[in-house]
Amino acid sequence: MQLEWRGHYLDGKSAQRRGAVVQLQASGLRITLDDGALLDWPYAEIKQTQGAYAGEQVRLERGGEFAEALLIQDSDFLATLHRVAPNRAERFHNPADRPARLRATIVAGVVSIVALIALYLYGVPALATAVTPFVPVAWEEKLGAMVMDQMVQPEKQCNDPVLRKTIDEIVAKLTATVPNSPYKFRVYLVNDPTVNALAAPGGYIVIFRGLLEATRRPEELAGVLAHELQHVLKRHSTKLILQHVSTGVLMSAFFGDVSGLASFGLEAAQTLALLRYSRGHESEADAAGLKMLNAAGIDGSGIISFFEILQAKSGGEPGFLKYVSSHPDTQDRIARLKSLADQTEQAAARPLRYDWANVKKICAARSTR
Amino acid sequence: MAMELLTESSGVLQSAESRRFAFHGVGGTLFGIQIVNLFLSIVTLGIFSFWGRVKVRKYMMSQTEFEGDRFAYHGNGQELLIGWLKALVFVGVPLLILTFLSAGALAYLAVLAFMPIAVVSARRYRLSRSSWRNIRFSFRGRVWDFALLSVKGWFLSAVTFGIAYPVWQNWRQSYLVSHSHFGNQKFDYDGRGSELIWNFLLHLLLTIPALGINWFWYWARLQRYYWNHTRFGAARFSSQVSGGGLFGLMFVNLLLLLVTLGLAWSWVQVRNARYYLEHLTLDGALDVAAIMQDAQTASATGEALSGFFDLDFDLG
C-alpha cells in the first residue's frame, strides 16, 4: 500500500509553494517539506475543502482564517486515507462513495423536475386562488394602474367624445347590475389593430381598435365588455399576476438568482398581455357575462355572434397560423354559450341604438388625421 | 498589439515568460452539483440556494488553474444569506415600497444611487473570498470615490450624447482594477479609453446593418483592451479573445440551450469559463516569493461599518 504521496504545501503567509512528501499515519499526516522542515497534522484538525469530485485536486487545510494548505493531485490518496485510518477519516471525502452519490444525484434530479412541474401546474395556482380573495381592492387598483402605465401610452388612446360617451353608456348599463361592486371601472380605447381586449386588476379594461372594428353591432361590444368586467369582478387578472409573480419568485429562489427578485412585479405587469387565463376562468367569465347582459336588458346573442366572427377570422388564416389560432376553445365556448342562452329566460332586451357603422370607425379616422 | 507590449515591458526583465490560465471544469460534474442544489433548494423552500451557490463557486474556482495551482473560494452560505437579508431590508423593501407608492422617479433615483454601492461592495466581498496559493485577493476602493466617479461618468456620457461612453467604461475599469490587490501587491491599469471611442462609434453605426451581431467584436475588443492594459508587478496580462470566437461560442451555447430546453446551462457555463480563461495569459516576470498575505484583508467585513449602505453583500 502506498503511504507516501508527493504534494505541495502553502503556509498561508507567502505565495511561494513548497514541495512536500505527505506520509499517511494512523493518527495524522506527517509532512516533510523539501527544505527538510517537518510538520505533523492530526486528522482531527484537518479540513478538506476540495477534492470531492473526480479529477479535482485534493485540498486540505489546517488553522484559522488564513490556514495552511496541502495540495495533492492524486485522489487515490483519499482512498488510502480511508484504509489507513478508517475511524478518523469520516471528515474526508471517500471516493468509494462516488457511485452512491451519483445515484442520489440522479434521484434528486428526477424528483426536482417532477416537483417543479407539479408546483407549476397545481401548487402555484392553488396558492394564488387561496391568496387572491385577501388582496385589498386598493392594491388591485395600484397594480392595475401600473399595468396601464406600461401598456397604454397616452398618445395611443382614442378620446373622441362620441365614442367615449357610447362606451360609457354601455358600461353604465352593465355595471348597474352590480351596484355593490367595490370597483370603479375605467375603459381605455387603444389605437392598435390587434383584435383583442383585456382586463387589468382593479377595474381597468382595455379595448383595442381592431376589436372595435371587428364588431358588427353594439351588442357585440357589450358582450366583450361584460366578459371583461367579469374578469375584473372575479379577480381573474389579479390571480393571474399573483400566479406569475410567485412562479418567478420561486424560480429565482430555487435557481439561486435572488438579485432579480424585486423586478418580477414590474415584469409581470408588462407581460399581462402575454399571460393567458385558464379555460375555467374563460368559461366562468363567459357565463357570468351572459347573465350580466340579460340582467342589463341587452341582447346576449352579441357575444355569441362575436365569437363566430373571431372563429371565421382565424379560419381564414393559412397553414401554421390556422393550426395555432383555430384551437377548439372558441368552438366549445360558442356551443356552451348557446346552450346557456337557450336555458335562461331572456328578459325583454332593448336594442342599443347607435350609428354603429360610424361609431366603430371613429378611432381609426381620428388617428389618420 | 500584445506582442508589442510584451517586448516593451519585458525589455528590462530577464525573460519574456508567458503564463497561461486554464480551466478544467466538466459540464457533467457541474450539472450534478446544480441538480442537487436545486433539489435541496426546493426541499428547504429556497434557503439552501445560498449554500448551493457557494458549492458552484468553489467548484468553478477550484477548476481554474494558473502556474500549476488552482484558485479557491472561501465564502460560506451563512454569510451570503445574512448579506442578502441585509440587502433586502435596507434596499429591497424600500425600493419595493417606493415602486408601489408610484414614486417611480424616486425609485429609479434610488437604484442609480445604489449601483456604485453594489458594484464596490460586491467586488470587495468576492475578491476577499478568493485566493490563489492561499493568498487572498482584496479590493480597497471606496464606495464614495466610486460613486463620485460614476456621477462624473454618467454626466460625461450624457453631455456627449453617449459618444464618450467608452471613456466612462474605461474609468470604471481603471478604478476597479487599480484598487484590486493580490496579497500585498497591487494591480495596475494604464488604459486611457479614448482609443475606444472610434471603435464604439463604428459599432453603433454597424448595429442596424449587422443586426447587432457586430457587438461580439466590440465586446471582444473591450476585453482585450482591458486585460492588455492590466499589470501585476512587472507582468502584463494579455487576452486573445476574438469576436469570431465569441460569436461561435455564443451561437453553439444558444443551440445547446434550445435543443435541451435549458438543461445544458451547466455545460454553457463551463464552455464560457474555458473560452475566457484559455485566452488569457500573464506575460513577463512574476516574483511569486515576494507576494505576502496582507493582514488588511481580514477586516473585509468590518468595512460594513464605514457607511450605512456599505453592505458586504454580493450580487453575483
Side-chain angles (χ1 to χ4, degrees):
Chain A
M1 189 158 47
Q2 184 188 352
L3 289 178
E4 287 193 348
W5 305 80
R6 273 217 64 86
H8 288 104
Y9 170 78
L10 300 166
D11 62 8
K13 298 186 187 88
S14 131
Q16 183 73 28
R17 77 173 182 185
R18 290 139 92 178
V21 174
V22 184
Q23 201 182 359
L24 284 163
Q25 297 185 332
S27 61
L29 300 177
R30 165 150 295 192
I31 303 154
T32 315
L33 302 183
D34 288 353
D35 51 26
L38 207 66
L39 302 162
D40 275 310
W41 283 19
Y43 288 127
E45 292 175 15
I46 303 175
K47 201 170 99 187
Q48 184 187 347
T49 57
Q50 273 172 33
Y53 306 105
E56 197 183 44
Q57 203 178 30
V58 175
R59 181 185 173 102
L60 305 175
E61 291 183 12
R62 177 176 180 246
E65 199 177 356
F66 303 110
E68 304 162 79
L70 195 60
L71 307 167
I72 297 148
Q73 197 58 53
D74 196 338
S75 72
D76 282 347
F77 167 83
L78 288 171
T80 314
L81 196 155
H82 279 270
R83 278 203 296 275
V84 170
N87 304 324
R88 295 189 170 87
E90 68 273 19
R91 54 200 294 114
F92 299 96
H93 170 75
N94 191 349
D97 296 341
R98 272 180 199 159
R101 286 208 315 172
L102 181 64
R103 279 196 298 277
T105 302
I106 293 168
V107 171
V110 172
V111 171
S112 306
I113 289 166
V114 171
L116 281 181
I117 293 172
L119 205 62
Y120 180 73
L121 289 181
Y122 307 106
V124 173
L127 183 81
T129 309
V131 171
T132 304
F134 298 101
V135 177
V137 172
W139 290 18
E140 286 189 283
E141 283 175 349
K142 278 264 192 297
L143 197 61
M146 264 162 69
V147 174
M148 289 300 119
D149 267 2
Q150 298 287 347
M151 264 182 18
V152 182
Q153 296 120 326
E155 70 272 15
K156 287 205 87 179
Q157 281 183 42
C158 291
N159 282 323
D160 179 84
V162 176
L163 190 57
R164 191 74 268 164
K165 187 167 162 278
T166 309
I167 287 174
D168 286 347
E169 279 173 12
I170 299 175
V171 170
K173 273 203 176 105
L174 291 168
T175 50
T177 65
V178 281
N180 297 324
S181 151
Y183 298 104
K184 181 174 173 287
F185 289 100
R186 279 155 281 211
V187 179
Y188 290 80
L189 265 160
V190 174
N191 190 354
D192 187 292
T194 323
V195 184
N196 199 7
L198 57 90
Y204 293 91
I205 289 167
V206 181
I207 305 281
F208 292 97
R209 190 193 81 216
L211 185 138
L212 184 67
E213 287 172 348
T215 58
R216 290 166 304 191
R217 50 202 178 99
E219 281 78 3
E220 288 178 350
L221 182 71
V224 172
L225 283 169
H227 175 93
E228 298 300 332
L229 287 172
Q230 289 301 331
H231 276 316
V232 172
L233 288 166
K234 303 212 177 299
R235 301 184 159 198
H236 290 160
S237 46
T238 307
K239 195 189 140 190
L240 202 60
I241 289 179
L242 267 180
Q243 208 166 310
H244 184 74
V245 172
S246 41
T247 305
V249 170
L250 282 177
M251 288 300 143
S252 69
F254 293 157
F255 289 98
D257 171 29
V258 261
S259 55
L261 215 132
S263 64
F264 273 107
L266 285 171
E267 188 246 350
Q270 284 161 329
T271 50
L272 182 69
L274 300 174
L275 298 176
R276 289 184 62 111
Y277 295 112
S278 67
R279 282 180 194 208
H281 281 175
E282 289 294 9
S283 50
E284 199 183 346
D286 283 347
L290 189 65
K291 244 185 239 162
M292 193 181 217
L293 290 167
N294 278 343
I298 297 172
D299 179 10
S301 71
I303 184 69
I304 298 171
S305 67
F306 184 68
F307 276 142
E308 282 166 350
I309 299 177
L310 283 188
Q311 206 185 14
K313 264 188 189 286
S314 65
E317 279 161 8
F320 179 69
L321 266 179
K322 181 174 172 179
Y323 176 76
V324 174
S325 55
S326 68
H327 54 86
D329 271 13
T330 319
Q331 211 164 352
D332 283 358
R333 286 168 72 180
I334 293 170
R336 232 174 301 133
L337 277 170
K338 274 185 174 159
S339 77
L340 259 178
D342 290 344
Q343 283 162 29
T344 44
E345 259 180 60
Q346 168 81 21
R350 289 173 303 278
L352 298 167
R353 298 199 186 281
Y354 297 108
D355 178 12
W356 201 246
N358 285 323
V359 167
K360 73 176 193 180
K361 290 210 179 75
I362 288 176
C363 191
R366 290 192 74 87
S367 70
T368 50
R369 237 189 290 152
Chain B
M1 184 178 195
M3 278 312 293
E4 183 190 317
L5 288 169
L6 183 67
T7 47
E8 177 194 311
S9 61
S10 59
V12 280
L13 303 163
Q14 310 93 323
S15 63
E17 304 166 67
S18 186
R19 299 154 204 266
R20 301 208 74 86
F21 285 78
F23 186 74
H24 301 281
V26 180
T29 306
L30 184 62
F31 182 72
I33 296 172
Q34 286 173 327
I35 207 88
V36 172
N37 285 349
L38 176 65
F39 173 75
L40 293 172
S41 297
I42 293 173
V43 171
T44 60
L45 298 175
I47 294 170
F48 183 81
S49 67
F50 297 98
W51 281 262
R53 213 151 7 131
V54 167
K55 272 164 64 183
V56 170
R57 282 183 193 161
K58 278 203 159 132
Y59 180 74
M60 293 302 275
M61 292 200 71
S62 75
Q63 298 301 324
T64 304
E65 187 204 309
F66 177 70
E67 281 285 281
D69 273 300
R70 309 294 182 91
F71 287 76
Y73 177 69
H74 303 270
N76 62 61
Q78 194 187 327
E79 67 189 13
L80 285 186
L81 173 64
I82 292 170
W84 182 77
L85 286 174
K86 277 206 250 174
L88 187 71
V89 171
F90 292 116
V91 183
V93 171
L95 270 184
L96 213 64
I97 292 172
L98 279 183
T99 315
F100 214 71
L101 290 175
S102 307
L106 225 63
Y108 280 125
L109 214 66
V111 169
L112 216 59
F114 172 62
M115 255 156 49
I117 299 167
V119 169
V120 166
S121 40
R123 191 174 175 88
R124 186 181 296 153
Y125 171 78
R126 275 299 268 277
L127 288 183
S128 79
R129 298 298 187 274
S130 305
S131 77
W132 178 77
R133 286 205 178 165
N134 230 359
I135 299 294
R136 298 288 180 100
F137 291 81
S138 60
F139 182 68
R140 302 181 191 181
R142 288 153 54 133
V143 167
W144 184 242
D145 295 342
F146 187 68
L148 282 182
L149 189 73
S150 303
V151 170
K152 243 168 72 182
W154 294 333
F155 181 74
L156 179 76
S157 304
V159 295
T160 58
F161 303 104
I163 291 169
Y165 181 67
V167 174
W168 150 228
Q169 275 188 307
N170 185 71
W171 285 353
R172 183 188 135 99
Q173 185 70 10
S174 174
Y175 189 85
L176 294 180
V177 169
S178 59
H179 289 84
S180 297
H181 292 239
F182 174 57
N184 60 347
Q185 288 189 29
K186 186 176 163 305
F187 288 85
D188 291 301
Y189 187 81
D190 55 14
R192 289 184 305 121
S194 46
E195 304 99 299
L196 290 168
I197 290 181
W198 290 113
N199 227 282
F200 181 67
L201 283 179
L202 177 73
H203 282 282
L204 271 183
L205 289 176
L206 279 175
T207 302
I208 291 170
L211 303 169
I213 291 169
N214 58 309
W215 287 99
F216 285 110
W217 276 261
Y218 180 73
W219 196 80
R221 165 94 172 92
L222 207 59
Q223 287 306 311
R224 289 198 306 270
Y225 186 86
Y226 286 166
W227 281 113
N228 297 350
H229 286 92
T230 301
R231 285 180 292 133
F232 182 74
R236 186 181 287 274
F237 286 92
S238 162
S239 170
Q240 299 87 38
V241 168
S242 70
L246 211 59
F247 176 70
L249 177 77
M250 292 304 162
F251 184 71
V252 175
N253 284 351
L254 190 69
L255 279 183
L256 281 175
L257 288 174
L258 284 177
V259 168
T260 62
L261 300 173
L263 283 176
W265 178 237
S266 315
W267 283 267
V268 164
Q269 280 174 289
V270 164
R271 281 168 50 82
N272 288 348
R274 179 169 299 146
Y275 180 79
Y276 199 78
L277 285 162
E278 293 189 347
H279 288 86
L280 186 65
T281 53
L282 181 62
D283 308 318
L286 182 68
D287 188 4
V288 173
I291 302 165
M292 304 302 283
Q293 189 81 275
D294 194 328
Q296 265 192 330
T297 51
S299 63
T301 343
E303 287 225 20
L305 299 170
S306 66
F308 169 66
F309 257 140
D310 209 350
L311 304 166
D312 217 347
F313 78 99
D314 161 51
L315 291 171

